[in-house]
Amino acid sequence: MPETQVLIVGAGPVGLTLALDLGRRGVRCTLIERNTTSIQLPKMERCNARTMEIYRRLGIAEQVRDAGLPRDAPMDVFLALSMASPPLVHLPCPSVAEAKAEIAAHNDGGLLEPYQLISQYTLEPLLRSIVETLPTINVRFGCELVEFTQDAASVTAVVRAAGAPDETIRASYLVGCDGGSSTVRKQLGIRLQGEGNIRKLRQALFRCDDLYEKIPMGKGRHYHIAEGPLFPFIILQDSTRHWTLHAGASSDAEMAEIFKKSLAMPIDFEMISVNEWTQHLLCAERYGEGRVFVAGDAAHLVIPTGGLGMNTGVGDAIDLSWKLAATLEGWGGPQLLTSYEAERRPIGLRNVKASRAAMTGRLGWRAAYHLNVKDNTPQGAATRAEMSALFDTQQRKVTEILGIEAGYRYVESPIIWREPGDGPEPDNPSYVPTSWPGARLPHVWLSDASALHDRLGPGYTLLRLGGTHADTSTLEQSFRKMHAPLEILDVPGQRPREIYQSDLLLVRPDLHVVWRGNKLPQDAPKIAIVATGHLPPSA
Ligand SMILES: Cc1cc2nc3c(=O)[nH]c(=O)nc-3n(C[C@H](O)[C@H](O)[C@H](O)COP(=O)(O)OP(=O)(O)OC[C@H]3O[C@@H](n4cnc5c(N)ncnc54)[C@H](O)[C@@H]3O)c2cc1C
């Protein structure tokens, strides 16, 4: 009998999110992390709307917001000649409070939660502190995976803690959430495909207490400085007292100089750290083998423009988690775990592509830079005008991609019912609500002002909409026979029915739609068989 059900390697945001969901589902996990503390570097700073919906479902969205940027802080994006200049372009982006008010005022099938700015060095310790309260999760920092083997029944891992002899952990499954240089992926012999080592950049973290209050162009999140060839990019961190600078500097010391020049105001600052990072656009050729899987940066590496790194990894975690739990509970069929790669690898590839488009957009406006950009001449004005016009369109490929963040649909999945037709465009940068099988269930407000998402339990839910009297007993019996958890939820009112466009909707534990219709088909038991992963691939 394995001593742990799932061994999770890596306590970055993806491993921690996976542990949190598995722990809440009662799965016994060991989470090992080779570092002795959580990350100290800034790295990611924005949980997108889909990640925040996931965190809401995990019951931690408000904790994440409390730890992050204040809810009333604007998220605006600027292009300017310096932090002291008037903006060349100002792209307003709502604060969390404004975005929440918008969400509350509309019932149009959009997102339930807006984004949240929270620095990775704040998010990781928060997630860790929550995971450590779960009785089924054993969290071990300072413990490194060295190697593993697997057979038909289990995985045996050799782990190493400083000053202790190597130790063996046996698990039913192993998930490598161990980042871009993943030991797990390498041991499985899985290659990364795409473009690696595109460009090296430096990221520096500054403490600068007065800057936030003193920026003449206004408070925001991203400040792009129109100064080639380095194009300093200054990002607000969650405390409003910390800032990061990204630039292609040739030394650490140069980063402080670039920051000072970009400020162009007499403001004190302290440079806390500098690190070098490399841009990649890569996706693993496979997402696992046998009882071992990879998730997060171990499976895909994007350029963070567009924020599709950690956020894509959180999507992986939440897809894999319920499938592992279902398999361990005994009701999940063999196709459940197979579907992890079938569902998430296309999203990894798609998000690599979207990240490339976002980066190309950024390079597009930068290409219009000319040395005369600051000149008070017609030529200087023309350069500024061209850069600004390009920024105004191209930068939106970074900030306005809600469809990429939340509109993904599992198209070729063995556990999603095939509906005739092609379905809506799954790669649309704009989010268009749809209940097409494979899509995330759009959010709707119910007549008592509660959110339908909040009414859905940890298993499957069959939604009965618009007062339908359709007989659903055969489907219910099929789930019962397989001991798979199914709840029935009658949703009165016309609005949810209009948004979902069907009387009946079967929703999975991760809130993706499996099947929809106005009545059950003749072969209704097959819906349950497909949903729970029991349909053989050739059937
Ligand atoms: C400058 C920058 C800005 C970014 N901005 C964003 C953003 O705004 N939005 C976004 O979504 N993403 C962003 N990202 C990407 C984001 O930081 C990563 O996608 C995210 O950290 C991936 O999380 P992860 O848990 O998969 O991997 P990681 O965060 O890399 O965590 C992996 C963990 O595994 C541990 N580990 C590795 N090997 C072993 C082993 N053998 N044994 C035990 N432990 C091991 C590591 O120590 C590490 O803690 C940014 C990245 C950078 C560099």
Side-chain angles (χ1 to χ4, degrees):
M1 167 85 174
E3 60 210 60
T4 192
Q5 291 182 299
V6 182
L7 175 62
I8 302 170
V9 182
V14 175
L16 286 162
T17 302
L18 178 64
L20 181 53
D21 197 42
L22 284 170
R24 284 168 55 94
R25 292 179 184 280
V27 175
R28 284 181 295 109
C29 301
T30 300
L31 169 61
I32 59 167
E33 165 56 53
R34 71 175 166 204
N35 292 334
T36 50
T37 59
S38 291
I39 192 174
Q40 312 287 315
L41 299 170
K43 287 178 84 178
M44 108 67 224
E45 96 283 354
R46 190 185 66 114
C47 290
N48 70 25
R50 179 63 186 133
T51 295
M52 289 309 295
E53 271 189 355
I54 290 168
Y55 284 159
R56 178 179 178 126
R57 196 155 164 73
L58 291 172
I60 64 165
E62 292 310 311
Q63 274 172 280
V64 171
R65 295 201 189 282
D66 288 344
L69 185 72
R71 290 167 174 80
D72 59 353
M75 292 280 284
D76 299 8
V77 174
F78 297 93
L79 175 69
L81 294 173
S82 77
M83 295 295 275
S85 321
L88 295 172
V89 185
H90 176 186
L91 301 179
C93 300
S95 67
V96 166
E98 288 166 342
K100 280 209 159 208
E102 274 289 299
I103 290 170
H106 294 93
N107 204 3
D108 53 6
L111 272 288
L112 172 57
E113 290 282 339
Y115 45 51
Q116 175 64 49
L117 191 155
I118 179 165
S119 307
Q120 193 159 337
Y121 57 67
T122 307
L123 181 64
E124 283 190 23
L126 173 66
L127 293 175
R128 178 183 174 181
S129 69
I130 298 168
V131 168
E132 282 176 337
T133 65
L134 298 171
T136 56
I137 311 290
N138 178 13
V139 181
R140 295 180 58 182
F141 272 63
C143 181
E144 179 177 13
L145 174 81
V146 181
E147 59 184 15
F148 64 87
T149 53
Q150 60 171 320
D151 56 32
S154 65
V155 182
T156 305
V158 177
V159 304
R160 186 172 295 160
D166 286 359
E167 192 189 327
T168 297
I169 299 179
R170 268 189 74 219
S172 298
Y173 295 96
L174 184 152
V175 187
C177 303
D178 49 349
S181 54
S182 171
T183 305
V184 176
R185 187 192 65 233
K186 285 178 189 159
Q187 272 213 29
L188 289 177
I190 298 175
R191 285 172 308 173
L192 291 169
Q193 296 172 326
E195 271 177 273
N197 299 311
I198 297 168
R199 191 173 171 225
K200 277 198 188 311
L201 279 178
R202 279 188 164 74
Q203 177 190 51
L205 176 64
F206 295 91
R207 174 149 191 145
C208 192
D209 286 347
D210 302 332
L211 178 59
Y212 190 60
E213 307 299 336
K214 288 191 176 162
I215 307 169
M217 73 187 107
K219 293 185 170 64
R221 163 189 169 225
H222 281 178
Y223 297 85
H224 294 271
I225 308 299
E227 177 81 69
L230 296 176
F231 296 105
F233 173 28
I234 295 175
I235 303 177
L236 173 71
Q237 298 300 312
D238 51 20
S239 70
T240 73
R241 300 288 173 260
H242 292 86
W243 301 81
T244 53
L245 167 71
H246 291 265
S250 50
S251 71
D252 289 0
E254 197 190 347
M255 290 298 278
E257 285 307 308
I258 296 169
F259 191 64
K260 191 172 171 191
K261 194 171 165 211
S262 302
L263 292 183
M265 294 182 268
I267 288 184
D268 290 340
F269 64 84
E270 175 200 355
M271 188 162 79
I272 297 171
S273 65
V274 187
N275 64 295
E276 217 179 8
W277 64 281
T278 307
Q279 295 182 333
H280 308 282
L281 287 167
L282 295 165
C283 189
E285 59 185 352
R286 288 176 291 126
Y287 272 28
E289 193 176 301
R291 296 179 162 271
V292 180
F293 302 90
V294 288
D297 273 19
H300 40 75
L301 285 162
V302 301
I303 296 174
T305 316
L308 294 168
M310 181 204 85
N311 288 304
T312 306
V314 168
D316 298 340
I318 227 66
D319 184 89
L320 183 57
S321 171
W322 70 271
K323 295 172 181 175
L324 284 168
T327 309
L328 287 160
E329 282 166 24
W331 58 263
Q335 293 300 316
L336 273 197
L337 289 176
T338 306
S339 74
Y340 168 62
E341 177 175 313
E343 294 186 346
R344 292 306 301 176
R345 186 166 178 273
I347 305 304
L349 288 167
R350 160 194 192 264
N351 289 0
V352 164
K353 201 168 122 197
S355 159
R356 177 183 284 114
M359 193 58 209
T360 309
R362 182 171 290 173
L363 295 178
W365 64 258
R366 286 180 177 177
Y369 170 79
H370 191 274
L371 281 173
N372 64 13
V373 74
K374 288 185 178 166
D375 292 357
N376 198 7
T377 60
Q379 294 80 1
T383 300
R384 291 192 290 279
E386 192 189 350
M387 257 185 126
S388 302
L390 284 167
F391 186 93
D392 202 5
T393 54
Q394 299 298 318
Q395 193 61 26
R396 292 180 197 274
K397 292 181 184 163
V398 181
T399 51
E400 295 176 16
I401 53 169
L402 195 56
I404 301 295
E405 296 173 351
Y408 50 86
R409 188 156 61 80
Y410 298 139
V411 177
E412 293 294 331
S413 169
I415 61 163
I416 297 288
W417 192 260
R418 294 288 157 94
E419 188 167 304
D422 290 336
E425 163 62 50
D427 297 343
N428 188 345
S430 304
Y431 177 74
V432 181
T434 177
S435 62
W436 194 275
R440 155 202 160 274
L441 183 75
H443 147 65
V444 299
W445 292 118
L446 300 177
S447 50
D448 64 356
S450 65
L452 175 63
H453 277 200
D454 292 343
R455 306 279 282 275
L456 305 179
Y460 296 86
T461 308
L462 180 63
L463 297 177
R464 292 199 292 219
L465 296 140
T468 178
H469 297 295
D471 178 9
T472 54
S473 54
T474 47
L475 188 62
E476 294 170 47
Q477 279 161 18
S478 306
F479 271 91
R480 262 199 304 276
K481 253 193 236 160
M482 288 187 289
H483 304 288
L486 174 73
E487 284 177 34
I488 311 297
L489 188 62
D490 285 306
V491 184
Q494 272 317 299
R495 193 60 190 138
R497 172 64 183 77
E498 280 163 20
I499 291 170
Y500 293 146
Q501 295 174 353
S502 293
D503 289 345
L504 300 172
L505 225 67
L506 179 65
V507 183
R508 334 193 287 196
D510 61 351
L511 302 197
H512 282 258
V513 177
V514 179
W515 168 86
R516 63 178 181 171
N518 292 332
K519 61 182 177 71
L520 290 185
Q522 290 282 319
D523 54 352
K526 193 173 167 191
I527 298 174
I529 292 170
V530 168
T532 53
H534 286 281
L535 190 74
S538 55

